[in-house]
Amino acid sequence: MLSAEHRSASGTGPLPLELANTESGPYLRLAPNASELASRDPLPEQILAFLGQSSEPRTTESIRSSLQVRNQRLVECLRQLFEQRKVVRLPQGYVLASPTLSVTTESTSSRVAPR
């Protein structure tokens, strides 16, 4: 999987590559089902998996550093996951939402929006 990002331009998304071998030598090419795979952003699943492996709340910076993504893209994705009620923002950071964890009105206010 190849991912390229630039600070002032939106990313094209990950591109699935495969190693092709011909008589002239090996080279990389787009995988045959590239359009299907490129249209699906893997970042939300990566964030959920990362938070699922953590025993404590994780800050935006620690998530960004571990997943090696741009801060803007990460914050947008965290907001989407928050709106879908898949993650909860605590003062210490983000955790996976669970049925036993109650979401207070403070956590839904704009004061605690992703930073």
Side-chain angles (χ1 to χ4, degrees):
M1 196 63 76
L2 173 69
S3 178
E5 295 184 4
H6 188 277
R7 287 180 180 224
S8 63
S10 59
T12 60
L15 301 172
L17 300 175
E18 67 181 10
L19 183 62
N21 198 4
T22 62
E23 292 176 11
S24 59
Y27 66 96
L28 291 174
R29 68 177 176 203
L30 286 176
N33 56 356
S35 60
E36 294 173 14
L37 294 173
S39 65
R40 191 176 67 94
D41 186 6
L43 185 58
E45 289 144 13
Q46 292 172 338
I47 293 170
L48 294 174
F50 179 73
L51 293 176
Q53 295 171 355
S54 181
S55 61
E56 58 188 32
R58 302 302 295 240
T59 64
T60 305
E61 180 57 32
S62 71
I63 299 169
R64 188 200 65 73
S65 175
S66 296
L67 299 180
Q68 298 181 343
V69 295
R70 287 184 312 141
N71 194 53
Q72 178 184 359
R73 186 168 169 234
L74 175 64
V75 168
E76 289 171 2
C77 192
L78 285 170
R79 283 190 179 134
Q80 289 174 355
L81 291 172
F82 178 79
E83 290 170 2
Q84 296 168 359
R85 298 178 186 240
K86 294 182 179 180
V87 299
V88 176
R89 169 99 164 93
L90 301 174
Q92 305 87 1
Y94 288 91
V95 295
L96 287 179
S98 69
T100 58
L101 184 62
S102 63
V103 178
T104 63
T105 53
E106 180 180 283
S107 67
T108 58
S109 72
S110 60
R111 290 185 316 160
V112 292
R115 300 184 237 174

